[in-house]
């Protein structure tokens, strides 16, 4: 897994960005460090992670669809109804990323879906629970719609993480166990995947059991 080495602009400690990551959290001073084409920037301290029952941690490796990956980062979100959930980031070969979300005792592995110009995702305010949505040739039903808050993070993040920022999201269920999430912000992103078992990922590394 290729990495780009630099120094934390806050404390000077070494930081290594995974290829394709946008923000890396300094493990020494807990600063969120964002990178651009020309420099790195300290965008603020990151709050402490809330203790959760997750078995995952950064540094684990595994396999999905015969492709090797490494767990390189995590963001914790505050759910609008209370409680938190973890979203883990998996770095695959070639700069590809997977999003592994753990919520309410279930685990979903998703990948960002590149949308063609002919695919139009409805606006956040246009959707409600029970709505039907077409994504390409697949039909989905809206199961949840809300605004989450990005609380804390560790490791490498493949998007512009900022602590305390609100994120509008819509979760959808498709046929044959397919799951999708729309995230709204400066641009609208779609992530598609399915519920999985952690045991199916052949995870290994220090502390894994």
């Amino acid at each position: 897994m290729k990495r780009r080495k630099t120094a934390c602009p806050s404390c000077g400690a070494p930081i290594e960005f995974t290829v394709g990551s946008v923000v890396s959290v300094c493990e020494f001073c807990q600063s969120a460090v964002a990178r651009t084409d020309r420099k790195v920037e300290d965008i603020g301290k990151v709050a402490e992670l809330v203790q959760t029952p997750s078995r995952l941690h950064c540094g684990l490796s595994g396999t999905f669809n015969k492709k090797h990956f490494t767990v390189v980062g995590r963001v914790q979100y505050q759910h609008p109804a209370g409680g938190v959930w973890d979203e883990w980031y998996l770095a695959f070969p070639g700069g590809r990323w997977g999003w592994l979300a753990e919520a309410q005792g279930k685990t979903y592995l998703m990948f960002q879906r590149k949308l063609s110009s002919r695919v139009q995702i409805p606006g956040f305010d246009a959707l409600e629970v029970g709505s039907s949505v077409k994504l390409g040739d697949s039909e989905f039903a809206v199961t949840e719609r809300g605004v989450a808050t990005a609380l804390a993070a560790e490791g490498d993040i493949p998007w512009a993480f900022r602590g305390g920022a609100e994120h509008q999201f819509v979760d959808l269920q498709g046929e044959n166990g397919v799951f999708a999430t729309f995230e709204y912000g400066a641009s609208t992103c779609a992530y598609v995947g399915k519920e999985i078992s952690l045991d199916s990922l052949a995870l290994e590394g220090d502390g894994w059991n």
Side-chain angles (χ1 to χ4, degrees):
M1 182 174 58
K2 294 182 178 180
R3 292 181 177 272
R4 173 190 168 188
K5 296 182 179 181
T6 186
C8 174
S10 178
C11 72
I15 286 182
E16 295 185 357
F17 284 90
T18 303
V19 170
S21 62
V22 176
V23 170
S24 185
V25 179
C26 177
E27 62 180 310
F28 295 93
C29 71
Q30 299 304 115
S31 292
V33 180
R35 65 174 174 176
T36 65
D37 292 337
R38 296 185 178 182
K39 64 177 183 178
V40 293
E41 177 186 2
D42 180 354
I43 57 175
K45 298 294 184 182
V46 174
E48 289 188 11
L49 292 160
V50 177
Q51 189 69 33
T52 67
S54 177
R55 298 163 59 201
L56 296 170
H57 62 80
C58 292
L60 292 175
S61 61
T63 305
F64 178 74
N65 283 350
K66 299 182 180 180
K67 299 292 185 181
H68 184 268
F69 66 81
T70 303
V71 181
V72 297
R74 166 170 58 157
V75 167
Q76 283 189 334
Y77 288 96
Q78 175 78 51
H79 192 277
V84 301
W85 83 83
D86 290 307
E87 191 169 277
W88 299 87
Y89 302 104
L90 316 182
F92 285 82
R96 191 184 186 207
W97 289 78
W99 279 251
L100 190 62
E102 292 185 299
Q104 299 178 337
K106 297 183 178 181
T107 305
Y108 301 91
L109 178 56
M110 293 178 287
F111 297 89
Q112 186 170 358
R113 172 76 63 86
K114 292 184 178 180
L115 303 175
S116 67
S117 58
R118 66 183 180 85
V119 176
Q120 298 295 321
I121 294 179
F124 179 75
D125 293 331
L127 294 174
E128 58 184 25
V129 174
S131 298
S132 294
V133 178
K134 197 85 169 178
L135 186 59
D137 296 326
S138 302
E139 187 92 12
F140 290 85
V142 175
T143 58
E144 186 173 8
R145 172 183 175 276
V147 180
T149 302
L151 286 183
E154 66 174 326
D156 287 1
I157 313 299
W159 52 273
F161 169 86
R162 286 187 181 272
E166 293 187 335
H167 294 258
Q168 296 177 326
F169 71 93
V170 173
D171 289 340
L172 309 100
Q173 187 69 53
E175 297 180 349
N176 301 317
V178 176
F179 183 83
T181 293
F182 297 156
E183 290 191 359
Y184 298 83
S187 61
T188 300
C189 298
Y191 303 89
V192 179
K194 61 182 180 179
E195 184 180 352
I196 64 161
S197 162
L198 289 181
D199 292 335
S200 70
L201 298 177
L203 291 162
E204 59 183 10
D206 292 344
W208 175 251
N209 52 51

